[in-house]
């Protein structure tokens, strides 16, 4: 069965550069979520989209933005990267009403 | 503010025994409580969801209980196996009131052969 696809799997960027992470949710799932997980930390909610509209926003820096496109894939754009942005970034999708989330394998971003 | 507490220390359990993990929460009224498994460098994998009006849920060797009075969920793995070794995350879901789920820090479980 198709899972949530994230790309790239690994990304190395320098400080002040820009990164774009992509997520392809499970077909027919109506909600997409982005989470950031630092080493040894729990996943922290960044932002979500329901039917291509932003539905909730968490502790996402102003340097980050995200959108969901007409084909339901989502992109997380990160600008002016800082060393502290190094983390695993997960995308997840679900049906909005009372279901578990399906997570992608994540993108490991390293800022040097 | 909302707070989710899971066993902060790693849990070592002998193979074949039952592993029990605890999730306590404060300042929150979840409509659902979810449990996930996470292996190092991988995304969390959904295991079970229990609703606020359910006391217990089972799935194969897994059992989850949910006590909204105590604000606590227990997650049991019976007949544990070394392959069950992972970090287990508790997550709170407010249902229609909120889009996101909030994760606890997780408990690292080691099943010793």
């Amino acid at each position: 069965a198709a899972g949530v696809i994230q790309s790239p799997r690994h990304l190395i960027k320098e400080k002040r550069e820009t990164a774009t992470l992509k997520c392809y949710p499970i077909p027919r799932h109506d909600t997409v979520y982005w989470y950031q997980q630092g080493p040894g930390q729990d996943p922290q909610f960044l932002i979500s989209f329901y039917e291509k509209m932003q539905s909730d926003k968490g502790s996402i820096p102003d340097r980050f933005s995200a959108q969901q496109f007409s084909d339901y894939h989502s992109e997380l754009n990160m600008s002016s990267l800082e060393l502290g942005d190094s983390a695993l970034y997960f995308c997840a999708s679900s049906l909005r009403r009372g279901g578990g989330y399906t997570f992608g394998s994540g993108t490991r971003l390293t800022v040097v | 503010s909302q707070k989710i507490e899971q066993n902060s220390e790693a849990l070592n359990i002998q193979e074949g025994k039952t592993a029990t993990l605890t999730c306590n929460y404060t300042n929150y009224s979840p409509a659902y409580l979810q449990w996930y498994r996470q292996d190092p460098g991988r995304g969390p994998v959904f295991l079970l969801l229990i609703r606020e009006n359910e006391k217990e849920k089972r799935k194969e060797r897994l059992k989850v209980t949910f006590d909204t009075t105590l604000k606590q969920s227990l997650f049991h793995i019976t007949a544990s196996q070394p392959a069950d070794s992972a970090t287990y995350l508790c997550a709170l879901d407010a249902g229609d009131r909120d889009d996101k789920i909030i994760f606890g820090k997780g408990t690292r479980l080691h099943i010793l052969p």
Side-chain angles (χ1 to χ4, degrees):
Chain A
V4 174
I5 308 296
Q6 288 188 248
S7 68
R9 285 300 311 275
H10 303 274
L11 192 57
I12 300 175
K13 290 284 185 178
E14 295 189 355
K15 281 193 305 184
R16 293 180 287 278
E17 283 193 317
T18 297
T20 297
L21 280 54
K22 295 187 178 182
C23 169
Y24 296 84
I26 289 178
R28 292 184 298 281
H29 276 190
D30 53 21
T31 310
V32 167
Y33 313 83
W34 285 95
Y35 282 81
Q36 177 193 57
Q37 188 173 29
Q41 300 297 312
D42 51 301
Q44 292 291 315
F45 173 73
L46 294 177
I47 196 166
S48 63
F49 294 87
Y50 171 66
E51 287 292 344
K52 295 168 280 185
M53 299 286 290
Q54 182 182 309
S55 54
D56 200 357
K57 203 169 179 181
S59 48
I60 182 170
D62 292 339
R63 300 178 288 107
F64 294 6
S65 65
Q67 54 183 323
Q68 188 175 25
F69 295 87
S70 58
D71 66 351
Y72 286 86
H73 95 271
S74 179
E75 293 184 3
L76 178 66
N77 298 293
M78 310 157 71
S79 62
S80 303
L81 287 169
E82 302 173 356
L83 295 178
D85 296 329
S86 297
L88 270 168
Y89 290 84
F90 291 108
C91 171
S93 71
S94 77
L95 286 171
R96 198 180 201 194
R97 298 291 175 253
Y101 290 14
T102 302
F103 280 80
S105 297
T107 295
R108 180 176 294 280
L109 172 67
T110 303
V111 181
V112 298
Chain B
S1 62
Q2 302 154 351
K3 199 171 176 183
I4 306 170
E5 289 183 353
Q6 295 188 247
N7 311 63
S8 56
E9 303 293 325
L11 195 59
N12 296 319
I13 299 292
Q14 204 66 42
E15 182 178 5
K17 302 289 187 186
T18 296
T20 299
L21 284 64
T22 305
C23 174
N24 295 294
Y25 60 92
T26 56
N27 298 326
Y28 205 83
S29 297
Y32 313 97
L33 191 144
Q34 304 183 22
W35 284 89
Y36 288 78
R37 168 186 174 138
Q38 188 173 27
D39 292 284
R42 309 296 295 271
V45 175
F46 172 71
L47 297 175
L48 276 170
L49 175 151
I50 187 165
R51 292 174 169 75
E52 60 181 335
N53 59 354
E54 295 177 316
K55 297 290 185 191
E56 183 179 297
K57 199 95 171 261
R58 290 176 187 261
K59 180 182 174 184
E60 297 170 354
R61 294 185 296 112
L62 308 180
K63 184 178 89 170
V64 171
T65 63
F66 193 12
D67 188 327
T68 54
T69 302
L70 288 179
K71 295 187 182 294
Q72 181 182 77
S73 175
L74 300 178
F75 177 80
H76 307 271
I77 306 175
T78 59
S80 58
Q81 304 166 0
D84 295 326
S85 299
T87 295
Y88 290 85
L89 300 163
C90 163
L92 303 184
D93 183 348
D96 290 352
R97 299 189 301 275
D98 201 352
D99 242 6
K100 60 185 177 294
I101 60 174
I102 299 172
F103 285 93
K105 293 200 182 302
T107 298
R108 259 183 307 125
L109 176 65
H110 300 292
I111 305 300
L112 308 172

